[in-house]
């Protein structure tokens, strides 16, 4: 295939990918919605004391840090029997979806700065419905985005929105049929498009992926856009092994949460609940999935504010599905902090994980700090910690740090094994293009066979 035809083929594959993504949810019916707004968060058990009014798609329900409870009701159409039913919910901010019995299902959010295509708005309700089931969902929502407010980068001293603003608008509230085959097709195409982007232009594998994808596309069109037809043709390219010299990747689900940054601490507590509920839902659906989270302070937030959720986290940890990361109480600053403070961080952090989960954490997890005390290796070894993970230093603009995996030796000669994920992010999309780049830029790839990828939206 010549260069011009190759570029046309890639564009066609991309177009099909985007069309398939838009077709995952179909045959939607509206949910009836009512909401009650408040200036501060209201607990689940207190939600029925609020006064609710109806709201429709397109209407604004809250502004700048306001909270609201939504009650969503509807009925699964009778002719949907045997099909997968989801609620598609985009309330223009962030939210935690509950069943009426108080079980937190998952978080929802309408975007991320890390991935323009990201949006968590689909809540699975029935894998195979009977038809006619009543639906009742409750959503604890906040009028803010994943990163807080919309802010003017250079506001005037008298600007009305000097410290940011946010209008939360109902975008989508509906039931729909979830096309699992179409969803899997989008994943297959995303992987193959990532390989097309990352493999050398003249590589045999890249050429055959493009040829196979185009053959499948034509058969897909002839079939009337039946996803399984396309997937069967793509399957051989997806099951091919990597080259013998390719590195292995330990991929861990991750969602870094700042304890205090662009939002109030009350919002940090809710972010923890949204994030953790979503991970538990993923574990139920994907038995091999492992999620990791650091910072005992966040676990304690959830324990005190979401006890039902906390018990499920403890069970997931006991089952080996949830990894307890980092020995510090929070991911502490290590530039201006004194030695005693660092010792106390480790003392309280390790004790919490030991007391609550029975786990003696042996790693320090600090992906998002800006500097590191030379006393840390000694403090870590005396605290029973031998492993250290971080990231920020690899983001230097001027002098590039020379290692990704190395032995860090402190002032007194104490040593810990340190690792910087070579993707240079702790918000990986786990996409082929970023993993291939990580393998190529991994500074120890001449003799170390493995690196870590932390995938997810923080």
């Amino acid at each position: 295939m010549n260069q011009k035809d190759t570029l046309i083929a890639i564009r066609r594959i991309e177009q099909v990918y985007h069309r398939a993504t838009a077709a995952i949810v179909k045959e939607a019916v509206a949910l009836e919605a009512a909401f009650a707004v408040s200036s501060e968060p209201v607990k689940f058990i207190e939600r029925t004391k609020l006064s609710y009014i109806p709201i429709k798609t397109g209407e604004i329900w809250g502004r700048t840090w306001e909270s609201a409870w939504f009650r969503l009701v509807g009925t699964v159409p009778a002719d949907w029997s045997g099909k997968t039913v989801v609620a598609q919910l985009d309330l223009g901010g962030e939210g935690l979806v509950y069943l009426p019995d108080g079980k937190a299902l998952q978080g929802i959010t309408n975007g991320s700065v890390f991935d323009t295509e990201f949006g968590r708005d689909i809540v699975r309700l029935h894998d195979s419905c009977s038809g006619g089931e009543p639906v009742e969902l409750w959503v604890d929502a906040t009028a803010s985005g994943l990163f807080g407010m919309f802010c003017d980068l250079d506001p005037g001293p008298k600007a009305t929105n000097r410290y940011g603003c946010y209008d939360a608008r109902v975008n989508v509230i509906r039931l729909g049929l979830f096309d699992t085959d179409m969803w899997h097709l989008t994943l297959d195409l995303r992987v193959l498009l990532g390989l097309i982007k990352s493999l050398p232009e003249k590589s045999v594998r890249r050429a055959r992926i493009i040829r196979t994808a185009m053959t499948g596309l034509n058969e897909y069109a002839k079939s009337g856009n039946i996803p399984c037809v396309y997937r069967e043709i793509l399957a051989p390219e997806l099951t091919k092994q990597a080259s013998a010299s390719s590195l292995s990747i330990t991929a861990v689900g991750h969602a870094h949460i700042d304890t205090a940054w662009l939002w109030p601490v009350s919002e940090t507590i809710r972010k923890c609940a949204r994030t953790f509920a979503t991970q538990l839902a993923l574990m139920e659906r994907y038995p091999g999935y492992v999620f990791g989270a650091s910072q005992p302070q966040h676990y304690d937030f959830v324990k005190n504010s979401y006890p039902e959720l906390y018990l499920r986290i403890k069970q997931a940890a006991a089952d080996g599905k949830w990894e307890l990361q980092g020995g510090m109480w929070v991911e502490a600053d290590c530039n201006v902090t004194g030695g005693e403070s660092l010792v106390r961080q480790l003392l309280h952090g390790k004790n919490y994980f030991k007391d609550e989960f029975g786990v003696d954490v042996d790693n320090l997890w600090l992906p998002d700090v800006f500097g590191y005390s030379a006393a840390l290796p000694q403090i870590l070894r005396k605290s029973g910690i031998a492993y250290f993970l971080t990231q920020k230093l690899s983001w230097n603009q001027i002098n590039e740090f020379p290692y990704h995996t190395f032995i860090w030796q402190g002032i007194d000669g104490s040593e810990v094994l340190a690792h910087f994920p070579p993707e240079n992010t702790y918000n990986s999309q786990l996409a082929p293009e970023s993993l291939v780049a990580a393998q190529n830029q991994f500074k120890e790839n001449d003799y170390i066979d493995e690196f870590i990828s932390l995938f997810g939206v923080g």
Side-chain angles (χ1 to χ4, degrees):
M1 193 181 293
N2 62 45
Q3 186 176 23
K4 180 180 178 181
D5 288 343
T6 297
L7 292 174
I8 292 172
I10 293 171
R11 281 200 296 270
R12 286 190 65 195
I13 298 165
E14 289 174 336
Q15 288 170 349
V16 172
Y17 166 72
H18 290 298
R19 288 194 198 119
T21 302
I24 292 169
V25 179
K26 55 188 181 182
E27 295 187 36
V29 296
L31 285 166
E32 292 184 15
F35 80 107
V37 70
S38 58
S39 58
E40 298 292 334
V42 174
K43 291 184 177 181
F44 178 85
I45 59 173
E46 302 291 330
R47 76 196 188 289
T48 55
K49 298 179 181 179
L50 302 172
S51 298
Y52 289 79
I53 57 175
I55 189 169
K56 295 182 179 179
T57 301
E59 295 180 351
I60 291 176
W61 62 263
R63 304 182 190 278
T64 311
W65 298 124
E66 287 184 323
S67 296
W69 273 100
F70 284 77
R71 181 174 183 259
L72 310 176
V73 295
T75 303
V76 176
D79 60 356
W80 286 7
S81 177
K83 298 180 180 179
T84 301
V85 177
V86 298
Q88 190 170 22
L89 310 175
D90 181 350
L91 303 179
E94 292 196 277
L96 181 57
V97 183
Y98 287 84
L99 292 176
D101 63 5
K103 180 180 179 179
L105 287 181
Q106 71 170 67
I108 55 173
T109 187
N110 66 340
S112 167
V113 297
F114 297 115
D115 182 354
T116 55
E117 296 182 350
F118 175 81
R120 188 172 296 284
D121 61 356
I122 294 175
V123 182
R124 192 178 293 249
L125 301 180
H126 300 286
D127 285 337
S128 180
C129 71
S130 300
E133 292 96 332
V135 174
E136 181 181 358
L137 298 171
W138 292 82
V139 185
D140 177 21
T142 180
S144 65
L146 201 67
F147 283 77
M149 302 291 100
F150 294 129
C151 293
D152 187 336
L153 294 179
D154 188 23
K158 296 183 180 179
T160 305
N161 296 322
R162 181 173 175 78
Y163 302 105
C165 63
Y166 198 94
D167 291 341
R169 185 187 305 272
V170 173
N171 296 315
V172 180
I173 40 172
R174 62 183 186 174
L175 291 179
L177 293 179
F178 186 80
D179 191 330
T180 303
D181 285 335
M182 192 68 77
W183 163 242
H184 287 159
L185 176 60
T186 66
L187 298 179
D188 291 348
L189 289 174
R190 186 170 184 180
V191 168
L192 292 176
L193 283 167
L195 286 170
I196 290 170
K197 292 176 184 176
S198 55
L199 292 171
E201 283 192 11
K202 295 185 178 180
S203 77
V204 172
R205 188 174 187 188
R206 181 178 185 269
R208 292 188 178 178
I209 287 173
I210 295 170
R211 173 69 65 187
T212 301
M214 286 304 297
T215 300
L217 192 157
N218 293 330
E219 293 301 315
Y220 176 61
K222 290 178 186 177
S223 73
N225 298 348
I226 298 175
C228 59
V229 171
Y230 203 169
R231 295 193 68 220
E232 287 176 6
I233 295 171
L234 296 175
E237 293 300 328
L238 289 160
T239 55
K240 284 183 179 177
Q241 297 295 309
S243 68
S245 59
S246 293
L247 303 184
S248 297
I249 301 164
T250 296
V252 181
H254 185 62
H256 173 75
I257 301 173
D258 286 281
T259 307
W261 188 33
L262 298 176
W263 46 80
V265 172
S266 60
E267 197 58 30
T268 305
I269 298 171
R270 298 164 85 188
K271 283 178 177 287
C272 290
R274 296 174 198 131
T275 302
F276 293 171
T278 300
Q279 304 315 310
L280 291 168
L282 289 172
M283 288 171 196
E284 291 179 9
R285 180 150 301 280
Y286 305 103
Y289 174 58
V290 175
F291 174 74
S294 64
Q295 308 190 85
Q297 175 65 82
H298 295 177
Y299 290 81
D300 204 50
F301 283 154
V302 174
K303 179 183 178 181
N304 293 325
S305 298
Y306 302 89
E308 178 271 338
L309 191 57
Y310 186 70
L311 290 176
R312 287 195 278 146
I313 292 171
K314 293 191 74 170
Q315 186 60 56
D319 293 341
K321 299 177 180 180
W322 190 292
E323 184 177 79
L324 304 169
Q325 297 167 338
M328 287 188 175
W329 182 255
V330 296
E331 292 179 11
D333 172 82
C334 295
N335 258 342
V336 299
T337 305
E340 183 172 347
S341 176
L342 295 174
V343 170
R344 288 178 182 273
Q345 284 278 357
L346 289 160
L347 181 66
H348 290 297
K350 282 177 63 76
N351 281 347
Y352 187 91
F353 281 144
K354 187 70 173 177
D355 294 343
E356 291 288 321
F357 295 88
V359 174
D360 186 12
V361 175
D362 61 359
N363 65 84
L364 180 60
W365 191 272
L366 291 179
D368 193 34
V369 299
F370 293 82
Y372 316 89
S373 166
L376 259 180
Q378 179 183 13
I379 293 171
L380 294 179
R381 293 313 300 250
K382 289 182 178 293
S383 302
I385 288 179
Y387 310 103
F388 174 62
L389 181 141
T390 191
Q391 188 71 80
K392 273 284 173 70
L393 197 59
S394 68
W395 296 359
N396 280 2
Q397 292 177 309
I398 309 301
N399 55 323
E400 183 176 335
F401 193 72
Y403 310 109
H404 283 115
T405 301
F406 59 99
I407 300 295
W408 181 17
Q409 186 179 85
I411 296 170
D412 73 326
S414 296
E415 295 180 342
V416 293
L417 178 61
H419 183 64
F420 292 31
E423 281 177 279
N424 286 345
T425 182
Y426 45 86
N427 294 286
S428 170
Q429 297 180 36
L430 208 61
E433 55 267 43
S434 62
L435 297 178
V436 169
Q439 176 177 255
N440 293 338
Q441 62 201 18
F442 183 34
K443 294 184 171 65
E444 291 75 37
N445 63 13
D446 55 335
Y447 64 96
I448 295 178
D449 296 329
E450 181 180 22
F451 61 86
I452 286 177
S453 174
L454 305 179
F455 67 94
V457 176

